[in-house]
Amino acid sequence: MTTTSTPEATEPEPTSTPGATAPGRKFGLAAATALVMGNIIGGGIFTLPAAVAPYGTVSLLAFVILSVAAVLLALLFGRLARRSPVTGGLYVYPRDAFGPFAGFLSAWSYWTMCWVSIAALAVGVVGYVDVLIPLGDSKAVLALVALAALWLPAAANFAGTRYVGAVQIVSTVLKFVPLLLVATVGLFFVDTDNFGPFNASDESAPGAVAGAAALLLYSFLGVESAAVSAGEVKDPERTVGRASVLGTLASAVVYILGTVAVFGLVPHEELVESGAPFADAVNSMAGGSWGGTVIALVAVTSIVGCLNGWVLLSAQMPYAAARDGLFPKPFARVGKGGVPGFGVLATAVLGTLLIVVNYADDPDTAFRVLVLITTFTGCVPYLLSAAAQLYWLARGTRERVRPAGLARDLIVAALSFAFSFWLIAGAGYAAVYQGALFLFAGIPVYVWLRGRQEGVEGEI
């Protein structure tokens, strides 16, 4: 077990894990914040208001709770990044605290979440492209559009982290500004009669909050983006924490204000049945039907930008694990642009296979189950990272502990652990069951890699 430092509350000296740092650091605060925002705000924001409308305006309370919890996670990752400012943060933290097996499980779970989510996002582009350019009913044409949405960001990643950061900033601004306009200007057009009942479901208020939150879980995945790519961030000990908090807060503001505006612009009965709630909201504000086209353009930009960031993250986690011998060696190969090329390629190929399966079969069956698994597989690294911070805090020596800092970090870590546990429970029995199978499927890989590694060391 590797122990790199002491808890943040005890004023540690930040250290790096040997072999885990990528060749160059290209992201400043702006690019790192854009990476966080770009990965959090994907295609979900354009459909979430309609998805949670059946629960009523109690959904807004669920949004607030999730936003607070996401900020706590951002603070947690900022603290942990001061200890290990290296690429693959959510793999490094459990590994340093609990050993290689915990690190492998975190990396495997996160990597699974990444490539399944990437396939889902690519498929999500198709509906918006169809608004701009009618695609017809040909599954082949629809699949080609989804594959193009996947491979274009992959190509940007092959060009290097400098280009990834540039694309991330541009795409985030292009989607953030229009959404913020709806979330602010739209508030002046709100009609309180449109909000409908506080609890429109047949469940109790706590049950409705939990039900709405279960739909909103996927929307906040990405808060860890800067921590996972810490090896490519300038001055990561300070920048990762700031970028994580700023990106999460900005995303939460867009989510909450945007949902409030849509709820107040579109009558509740219509919102429940809406397939493009933001387009309906813009039409209500300005009249006409041009809103659908504008929002479709923003949605395509948003999802492609989100894919750009997620492709990078999907390569960084196995890169860090492969440098330690806990993932196949090809994942540790880095191209001229500073990006683990094999990891990007593997993600793109696996995503391609899922997309092909999706359009060869019924999109509402097997593929939907895989998408639900992303909540579980994404939260496992959150849970392990929070547990790692609690472990380091418990190990702090009495002579070096600052009481105020210790209390703050304990509260952040404990609440982050509870939040992660709640997310996993909220994913549902089917998702947890399927996700556990995906997680345990990685154990034979770990056994093989560790056996080979120790066998080589024994011969030496």
Side-chain angles (χ1 to χ4, degrees):
M1 179 173 67
T2 305
T3 55
T4 58
S5 59
T6 55
E8 163 63 12
T10 61
E11 298 180 334
E13 289 296 327
T15 59
S16 298
T17 303
T21 305
R25 287 175 171 156
K26 306 295 184 181
F27 294 167
L29 179 61
T33 302
L35 182 67
V36 174
M37 289 175 58
N39 286 347
I40 291 178
I41 304 177
I45 185 61
F46 299 100
T47 57
L48 281 173
V52 297
Y55 290 98
T57 53
V58 71
S59 305
L60 300 177
L61 178 59
F63 252 134
V64 173
I65 294 174
L66 286 173
S67 298
V68 172
V71 171
L72 285 172
L73 282 173
L75 290 171
L76 172 71
F77 297 140
R79 298 295 177 211
L80 288 168
R82 290 179 65 86
R83 174 190 311 284
S84 301
V86 295
T87 292
L90 273 68
Y91 148 73
V92 174
Y93 312 145
R95 182 207 62 192
D96 286 355
F98 309 121
F101 184 60
F104 172 82
L105 285 181
S106 185
W108 182 269
S109 184
Y110 192 85
W111 182 60
T112 301
M113 182 272 293
C114 282
W115 56 264
V116 175
S117 298
I118 286 168
L121 285 170
V123 171
V125 173
V126 176
Y128 292 108
V129 172
D130 189 50
V131 174
L132 302 173
I133 306 172
L135 301 175
D137 298 325
S138 172
K139 289 185 177 181
V141 173
L142 299 178
L144 286 175
V145 173
L147 291 175
L150 170 64
W151 282 93
L152 286 175
N157 274 268
F158 282 124
T161 56
R162 184 183 303 273
Y163 296 97
V164 173
V167 171
Q168 206 63 36
I169 291 176
V170 172
S171 64
T172 299
V173 170
L174 286 176
K175 70 185 174 185
F176 186 69
V177 172
L179 290 174
L180 189 59
L181 285 174
V182 173
T184 53
V185 177
L187 296 177
F188 293 97
F189 296 85
V190 165
D191 183 349
T192 56
D193 292 335
N194 291 333
F195 281 104
F198 177 72
N199 183 3
S201 69
D202 296 329
E203 304 179 32
S204 64
V209 170
L215 291 173
L216 300 172
L217 299 182
Y218 184 72
S219 64
F220 276 100
L221 292 177
V223 63
E224 73 287 346
S225 303
V228 174
S229 297
E232 283 68 53
V233 175
K234 297 176 182 178
D235 190 17
E237 294 87 350
R238 300 177 60 189
T239 303
V240 168
R242 293 179 179 180
S244 298
V245 172
L246 289 174
T248 302
L249 284 173
S251 301
V253 168
V254 173
Y255 276 152
I256 295 173
L257 293 183
T259 304
V260 169
V262 172
F263 270 52
L265 288 168
V266 183
H268 181 260
E269 297 77 11
E270 297 180 16
L271 184 59
V272 171
E273 303 296 331
S274 176
F278 269 84
D280 292 340
V282 172
N283 288 338
S284 176
M285 290 168 54
S289 58
W290 57 271
T293 301
V294 173
I295 293 300
L297 285 170
V298 173
V300 171
T301 302
S302 173
I303 298 174
V304 171
C306 189
L307 280 166
N308 178 65
W310 275 112
V311 169
L312 173 64
L313 293 187
S314 70
Q316 298 294 10
M317 186 74 77
Y319 162 81
R323 292 294 296 261
D324 291 338
L326 297 179
F327 240 72
K329 289 183 179 179
F331 283 92
R333 297 173 185 167
V334 178
K336 295 181 180 179
V339 172
F342 184 84
V344 172
L345 180 63
T347 293
V349 170
L350 288 170
T352 297
L353 292 175
L354 282 180
I355 290 171
V356 171
V357 169
N358 176 59
Y359 284 105
D361 199 356
D362 186 353
D364 295 326
T365 55
F367 191 74
R368 175 180 293 177
V369 174
L370 292 175
V371 172
L372 292 175
I373 295 171
T374 60
T375 297
F376 172 82
T377 53
C379 288
V380 168
Y382 292 175
L383 192 74
L384 291 174
S385 295
Q389 177 70 337
L390 290 171
Y391 169 80
W392 291 119
L393 292 172
R395 282 195 55 183
T397 58
R398 185 179 300 275
E399 294 77 12
R400 298 185 62 191
V401 168
R402 293 182 292 111
L406 176 63
R408 175 201 61 202
D409 290 350
L410 272 174
I411 291 173
V412 169
L415 290 178
S416 296
F417 185 93
F419 170 57
S420 302
F421 196 86
W422 181 55
L423 286 179
I424 291 175
Y429 293 108
V432 171
Y433 171 74
Q434 297 288 344
L437 293 180
F438 268 80
L439 189 64
F440 295 149
I443 293 179
V445 178
Y446 173 81
V447 170
W448 171 259
L449 292 172
R450 288 292 290 175
R452 295 291 296 173
Q453 185 182 48
E454 293 178 3
V456 172
E457 292 174 354
E459 293 176 1
I460 297 175

